[in-house]
Amino acid sequence: GLYTKVGRVVTIQGRIDISSIGSGDTTYLFGLPFTCLTVGGGTYAIPVTYFSSLGSSSLYLIGTPLGGTTQMAFNHNNTTGTTFTNYFVAVFTNSTRIDFAGSYLSAN
């Protein structure tokens, strides 16, 4: 992945390729470059531009940096509706690929 930080705005771009999940976490991406600012009543959305071989059946997928951490979870919708109804789902499995790019505010 790559990142750029200007002031408190962190722009990230990355590609996750998992050949074998082993005992790794199936829900969270750890290691964002800066701690995410906690936003009262809101979240950041990091668009997922491509995904394949997920651990959950998904029509839409979006990354969500978690306030006060350097983690990102993924939300998805597995129905034809437009609302993301399933939060923090287990998306990583053997052969998963996820490409993403977007911005969030850092805590400092």
Side-chain angles (χ1 to χ4, degrees):
L2 304 169
Y3 76 89
T4 301
K5 185 174 187 241
V6 178
R8 292 176 65 184
V9 177
V10 182
T11 301
I12 58 175
Q13 175 183 345
R15 176 176 172 172
I16 302 166
D17 277 308
I18 298 174
S19 58
S20 177
I21 191 71
S23 61
D25 193 285
T26 61
T27 305
Y28 300 97
L29 169 67
F30 293 85
L32 293 176
F34 297 92
T35 300
C36 181
L37 177 69
T38 300
V39 178
T43 58
Y44 300 97
I46 303 295
V48 171
T49 57
Y50 177 84
F51 61 88
S52 65
S53 301
L54 299 180
S56 300
S57 176
S58 300
L59 294 175
Y60 308 102
L61 187 67
I62 196 158
T64 304
L66 304 175
T69 74
T70 58
Q71 300 173 20
M72 184 165 64
F74 291 89
N75 300 332
H76 83 141
N77 189 349
N78 58 0
T79 65
T80 57
T82 57
T83 303
F84 286 88
T85 55
N86 303 81
Y87 297 102
F88 308 143
V89 294
V91 294
F92 302 126
T93 189
N94 296 336
S95 301
T96 296
R97 176 178 164 190
I98 298 175
D99 298 353
F100 59 90
S103 299
Y104 67 94
L105 290 178
S106 68
N108 51 21

